[in-house]
C-alpha cells in the first residue's frame, strides 16, 4: 500500500470516530428534527388523520405546522401528543 493511500485511510478512520461530521448550526438541526418527526407522524397517523391525502406526500419544513394542526383536529390523544411535540 503506498503512502498516499495509507494517509487517506488513516484520515477516514480518524474522522469516523468523531461525534459528527456535519457542520450544522443549531437552527438548521432543529428544523431537520421537526421535519423528520412530522414525516413520522404523517406515516403513523395516516389512516386516522391523513387518509384523504396521497400516502407518498412529501412533508417539508413548510408543512410541519399543517401536520400538527391536522393531528390536533382529526386525531386522538396520541395524535394530539405528537402534534404538541411538533409545535410546542
Amino acid at each position: 500500500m503506498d503512502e498516499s493511500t495509507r494517509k487517506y485511510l488513516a484520515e477516514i478512520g480518524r474522522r469516523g470516530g468523531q461525534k459528527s461530521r456535519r457542520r450544522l448550526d443549531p437552527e438548521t438541526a432543529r428544523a431537520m428534527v421537526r421535519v423528520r418527526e412530522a414525516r413520522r407522524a404523517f406515516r403513523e397517523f395516516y389512516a386516522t388523520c391523513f387518509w384523504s391525502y396521497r400516502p407518498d406526500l412529501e412533508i417539508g419544513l413548510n408543512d410541519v405546522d399543517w401536520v400538527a394542526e391536522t393531528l390536533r383536529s382529526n386525531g386522538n390523544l396520541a395524535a394530539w401528543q405528537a402534534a404538541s411535540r411538533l409545535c410546542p
Side-chain angles (χ1 to χ4, degrees), residues 13-68:
R14 185 187 67 75
R15 282 191 293 160
Q18 294 177 349
K19 183 176 180 182
S20 175
R21 287 183 236 151
R22 285 189 176 177
R23 305 213 190 288
L24 296 175
D25 59 298
E27 183 178 324
T28 304
R30 280 190 291 275
M32 287 176 61
V33 169
R34 286 184 71 209
V35 169
R36 184 178 64 224
E37 292 298 318
R39 288 177 179 168
R40 182 177 295 147
F42 181 83
R43 285 190 310 269
E44 183 179 344
F45 296 103
Y46 179 77
T48 56
C49 300
F50 302 101
W51 56 268
S52 63
Y53 298 96
R54 293 187 345 249
D56 61 343
L57 184 67
E58 268 303 309
I59 305 296
L61 184 58
N62 295 331
D63 301 319
V64 173
D65 292 332
W66 169 76
V67 169

